[in-house]
Amino acid sequence: MGERDDPGTIGRRVQRLRTERGLTQRQLAEPVYTPAYISTLESGRVRPSDDALRHLAERLGVAFDELASGHSARLVTELRLRLTEAQRTLAVGEAEAAAEQYAGLFGEAETHGLAAEQAAALLGLGECALETGELPAGRRYFERAEACLAGAPLPARVPALRGRAVAHYLAGELRYAVYLLESTLDELNRGGLHDPDALLLLYASAIGPYMDMGAHARAAQAAEFALALAPQSGDPALVARMHRSVARTLVAEGRLAEADASLAKAAELYRGLQLRTELANCHWMRGYVYAQDGRLERAEEELRQALGMLSDKRAALYSSQVAVELADVLHRRGRSDEAAALLHDVLGHLSPERGAVHSAAAHRLLGIIAEDARRTEDAEEHYVRALSLLERAGAAGDLADLCRLLGDLLRRSGRVEAALDAYRTGLGHRTAPGTTTLGPAPAQPPL
């Protein structure tokens, strides 16, 4: 059977319904039970069996579920259907409309004491906040969802934990995001809780922060586990997300054709599911792959398509990230003024607390553009700003490259000691991926 309330709550409910209907305890009990049993039940001193509850529900003229839990099965089913509708609204990129739906559904679920449905609505509100770039609000929604599911098994809490980790990741708090994901993976695997969907969600989500921290070995291992888990998952959207994440490690390893193939699979799944925002993210990643391969015209086409799809739906943080990638392609195609204007627009929408890694990428590229134009002071200022943002975020891989750029600039301008300091800082961040930058690896799934 489904969830049921404690004996005291059920007893009070039986007493209220009996009184409303003008029945005595004897009339309610007969012919199967005794008035004494009804008295004991109403006082909460006995846990009624399913048979007893069915008898009482029939005598009181209510459904079994309503008597056992205070809400009808029909109510729960209708709420879940409407939650699915809200999920679809978010999937097509209408984050603000979806947030309104989720907020109303949360209120209804709270009124009826439906913890699982409250958690689902809060998860939806958290995802809406991530899409619109309201990261502190997103974290709070995910934390509240975890609280609603406090008594549930860990696999049921994984979407809320993962959402909180992604919110920290997008805010530039890479190390803490990795800690949340790895500690949850460790607890699942050591506890024998090998839920394929939960594990797949966590491994796919860990790849991004691993790559930004320079922990490429960990990212490759997470991608390997995700690929092995994918056939066990029954969620096509989750499998598509996995393919999109795995493409990052394939690009880092120079396996561009395989990365493009993974992205094509993801895009096909997203089109079938009509997930517009996720499809836009696939165009974004394909643009990145083409840029790495030197196919700049094709890269610009893909990135512009992604930016248009995301901007139309106000996916603020994601559209800012795509704009930085597009600016890089424009600069490489000789359109530096256009690239710089795009980057300044990006920086107007970001802050150190909201997209620090992407703000740093914008400053880095502005520094390169300034250096190419022989505006040395402007270039140095942008590099220093980027360095500060990346140090705060712990993005080791990007830090090492930026220190090289700053060191080269300082050396060419005759400031040798300052250049050496920059190079030393960069070398300090070129630690072995997955060892000194992170703690011990989490326990592995039995694949």
Side-chain angles (χ1 to χ4, degrees):
M1 301 305 297
E3 295 179 7
R4 63 154 69 185
D5 290 328
D6 61 86
T9 302
I10 292 174
R12 289 189 295 274
R13 187 175 297 128
V14 169
Q15 185 180 43
R16 175 178 58 78
L17 290 170
R18 177 180 64 78
T19 304
E20 286 174 0
R21 284 151 179 74
L23 298 174
T24 65
Q25 289 180 338
R26 181 178 299 280
Q27 288 171 322
L28 180 59
E30 292 178 341
V32 183
Y33 299 97
T34 64
Y37 175 75
I38 299 300
S39 176
T40 306
L41 187 152
E42 288 183 349
S43 65
R45 289 178 291 165
V46 64
R47 182 177 183 80
S49 66
D50 287 348
D51 286 341
L53 283 177
R54 286 194 186 91
H55 166 80
L56 295 172
E58 185 179 348
R59 300 285 288 171
L60 293 165
V62 296
F64 172 90
D65 293 300
E66 190 171 350
L67 192 60
S69 61
H71 47 261
S72 69
R74 181 179 176 182
L75 169 70
V76 176
T77 302
E78 287 178 352
L79 268 175
R80 288 176 181 170
L81 282 172
R82 288 161 61 203
L83 282 165
T84 303
E85 290 169 11
Q87 189 177 25
R88 175 65 59 188
T89 304
L90 176 60
V92 298
E94 301 286 353
E96 291 179 335
E100 288 183 19
Q101 289 175 273
Y102 279 125
L105 289 164
F106 173 76
E108 289 184 47
E110 188 176 37
T111 298
H112 295 286
L114 300 171
E117 286 67 30
Q118 286 179 62
L122 289 166
L123 279 173
L125 285 165
E127 294 293 341
C128 291
L130 291 188
E131 185 140 325
T132 55
E134 300 167 273
L135 302 181
R139 283 199 300 271
R140 288 193 293 273
Y141 285 130
F142 290 125
E143 286 167 0
R144 289 171 64 190
E146 282 184 73
C148 285
L149 297 169
L154 181 57
R157 290 182 274 126
V158 161
L161 285 159
R162 176 258 173 196
R164 192 152 56 93
V166 170
H168 284 289
Y169 169 50
L170 291 174
E173 297 159 5
L174 307 185
R175 195 174 297 275
Y176 188 63
V178 166
Y179 162 75
L180 285 174
L181 294 167
E182 285 195 339
S183 58
T184 308
L185 280 166
D186 202 46
E187 191 175 348
L188 282 170
N189 287 324
R190 290 190 188 281
L193 301 169
H194 304 302
D195 181 289
D197 283 352
L199 290 170
L200 183 59
L201 185 60
L202 292 168
Y203 280 121
S205 300
I207 290 171
Y210 279 151
M211 293 292 288
D212 287 345
M213 290 181 74
H216 294 165
R218 288 258 179 115
Q221 187 180 57
E224 183 183 334
F225 289 149
L227 285 167
L229 286 160
Q232 302 173 46
S233 173
D235 185 345
L238 188 49
V239 173
R241 180 184 287 162
M242 180 277 300
H243 278 299
R244 207 180 76 215
S245 299
V246 165
R248 283 197 69 175
T249 68
L250 295 172
V251 171
E253 294 169 358
R255 296 155 64 185
L256 300 180
E258 291 173 71
D260 198 27
S262 265
L263 290 167
K265 288 178 188 173
E268 184 181 354
L269 287 166
Y270 286 140
R271 281 192 195 95
L273 295 166
Q274 299 180 343
L275 303 184
R276 181 181 170 87
T277 301
E278 301 291 2
L279 181 58
N281 286 331
C282 278
H283 284 296
W284 165 19
M285 273 300 294
R286 295 189 87 171
Y288 178 76
V289 169
Y290 293 139
Q292 294 298 303
D293 201 26
R295 298 156 68 185
L296 299 182
E297 185 176 351
R298 186 73 187 274
E300 183 179 344
E301 288 173 7
E302 292 284 346
L303 291 168
R304 284 199 183 280
Q305 186 166 358
L307 188 60
M309 292 172 75
L310 291 169
S311 297
D312 286 347
K313 302 300 174 185
R314 294 194 64 243
L317 271 177
Y318 297 114
S319 59
S320 295
Q321 294 171 48
V322 178
V324 173
E325 301 284 358
L326 176 58
D328 180 54
V329 170
L330 293 172
H331 171 61
R332 288 166 65 185
R333 298 195 73 189
R335 291 147 63 188
S336 297
D337 289 345
E338 191 179 343
L342 189 57
L343 291 167
H344 283 296
D345 185 58
V346 166
L347 289 171
H349 293 91
L350 295 175
S351 69
E353 293 77 28
R354 188 170 172 269
V357 174
H358 314 297
S359 293
H363 279 297
R364 174 189 176 280
L365 187 49
L366 282 167
I368 291 171
I369 292 170
E371 196 171 352
D372 288 349
R374 304 190 184 283
R375 290 185 282 109
T376 304
E377 288 186 9
D378 288 347
E380 183 180 347
E381 182 181 346
H382 284 299
Y383 288 153
V384 169
R385 285 190 184 182
L387 189 64
S388 172
L389 288 162
L390 290 176
E391 282 183 325
R392 182 172 173 177
D398 292 338
L399 263 167
D401 174 66
L402 186 65
C403 288
R404 177 188 60 78
L405 286 171
L406 179 58
D408 290 349
L409 175 69
L410 294 168
R411 179 174 53 80
R412 282 194 293 270
S413 62
R415 296 152 66 188
V416 178
E417 285 300 319
L420 286 172
D421 285 342
Y423 289 139
R424 290 188 195 103
T425 302
L427 286 170
H429 290 291
R430 278 206 174 278
T431 49
T435 54
T436 54
T437 53
L438 296 168
Q444 299 179 4
L447 300 174

